[in-house]
Amino acid sequence: MMQRMGMQMQEFSGVTRVIIQSPGKEIVIEQPTVTSINVQGQKMYQITGGKTIERAPQASATQSTIA
């Protein structure tokens, strides 16, 4: 039914950390469940679970891209 509506979901395995960065803080989510949801060409990411830590921005943070 979801495919008929143009909706596709994909869960990413092996994700160990998600970091959300803004100028004033970083939110670090350890051991999350990450799902990509594609609805009519619009891609969204759902991040659930895991331990959450808020901290000051790290100058040497690395970035990972989910393709």
Side-chain angles (χ1 to χ4, degrees):
M1 183 166 119
M2 290 184 343
Q3 286 181 341
R4 283 190 280 153
M5 293 172 43
M7 182 178 198
Q8 297 175 335
M9 295 179 70
Q10 176 187 1
E11 187 170 323
F12 293 95
S13 61
V15 177
T16 58
R17 178 179 300 133
V18 171
I19 301 173
I20 301 171
Q21 297 177 319
S22 72
K25 69 178 174 181
E26 290 182 344
I27 300 170
V28 181
I29 305 167
E30 301 283 347
Q31 301 300 319
T33 300
V34 180
T35 304
S36 171
I37 305 167
N38 192 331
V39 180
Q40 299 177 350
Q42 294 288 326
K43 189 175 263 191
M44 297 172 277
Y45 294 94
Q46 177 178 312
I47 303 165
T48 56
K51 179 181 174 186
T52 303
I53 302 167
E54 290 190 27
R55 64 183 186 197
Q58 300 287 315
S60 63
T62 59
Q63 294 181 334
S64 298
T65 302
I66 299 175

